Amino acid sequence: SNLLHRDVSPDNILIRANGEPVLIDFGSARDAVRGRGHAMAMVVKHGYSPPEQYTSDPGRQGPWTDIYALAATLYYVVSGGRPMDATARFVQEGFQPASQAAKGRFRRSFLEAIDVGVQLRPELRPQSIAMCRPLLTQPSTLVSPAELPSVATPQGPETGGVGTIVADAPVRGLTLGHVKSTSGPRAQSTPPVT
């Protein structure tokens, strides 16, 4: 469905006794459904809301909005601290990427996926959960730029293809590298934590 939660954060995730996480508090999502085609109330949570959520224009928000909030929540989990507010990141240095904040404690490709998810520009983030899931869950293979297709066109279930996701995401002068992830069985083993 095209439902946006618009309030993904650690305080809106409960952990069941079996360890399964459950997303709660769909009040902002309900407001978004009621306000389709109209200006929505601005709902922000400092550290977890992306820049486009600081506007009441619903056309700027999409799955990438909740992906930012999910990645910011994962940043909190792996780093132990709330991410720097998106608006502050525009005007000041100091945001430490997850790949640095939690280096050596988690799989590098997982941390890089978090860093891609908290990109300030929406077009640099995965555009759907189908694009995001393999970055977070499957081992990624770092490839050289020569191995990348000249134009990477992500495809997902909505276009009928499996596709390739290629991210070359700069984070405050740090290039995460060329991360190529594909869905389906993987022949590679998990890269060692570095």
Side-chain angles (χ1 to χ4, degrees):
S1 90
N2 292 325
L3 181 68
L4 299 178
H5 188 279
R6 299 186 336 129
D7 196 15
V8 177
S9 63
D11 57 327
N12 282 334
I13 299 174
L14 294 178
I15 306 297
R16 291 183 174 163
N18 66 359
E20 181 179 88
V22 178
L23 186 61
I24 62 168
D25 191 3
F26 283 82
S28 295
R30 198 169 30 254
D31 292 343
V33 169
R34 277 192 221 123
R36 280 208 177 128
H38 301 79
M40 294 184 291
M42 186 170 62
V43 176
V44 296
K45 190 164 286 177
H46 296 291
Y48 302 98
S49 296
E52 68 270 16
Q53 208 162 335
Y54 286 80
T55 176
S56 60
D57 179 2
R60 294 179 183 254
Q61 298 177 28
W64 53 89
T65 303
D66 283 345
I67 288 169
Y68 181 101
L70 173 63
T73 299
L74 292 173
Y75 182 96
Y76 171 79
V77 171
V78 302
S79 73
R82 186 182 84 189
M84 182 184 285
D85 185 60
T87 56
R89 289 175 58 199
F90 276 118
V91 295
Q92 71 187 48
E93 296 289 324
F95 176 72
Q96 185 178 33
S99 56
Q100 292 177 4
K103 185 176 182 176
R105 296 191 316 232
F106 297 89
R107 210 173 10 92
R108 182 177 61 198
S109 59
F110 175 69
L111 297 174
E112 290 172 347
I114 293 170
D115 291 339
V116 169
V118 293
Q119 290 294 304
L120 293 175
R121 294 178 44 197
E123 66 272 14
L124 295 178
R125 291 181 227 139
Q127 299 296 292
S128 68
I129 292 297
M131 292 175 70
C132 185
R133 185 178 294 120
L135 293 173
L136 290 169
T137 61
Q138 295 180 2
S140 297
T141 304
L142 292 179
V143 297
S144 72
E147 295 175 294
L148 294 173
S150 58
V151 177
T153 308
Q155 298 178 4
E158 58 278 340
T159 60
V162 174
T164 300
I165 301 165
V166 178
D168 184 10
V171 178
R172 296 276 182 215
L174 170 72
T175 299
L176 299 176
H178 302 279
V179 180
K180 182 177 182 182
S181 178
T182 58
S183 60
R186 308 259 328 153
Q188 300 91 341
S189 62
T190 304
V193 173
T194 57

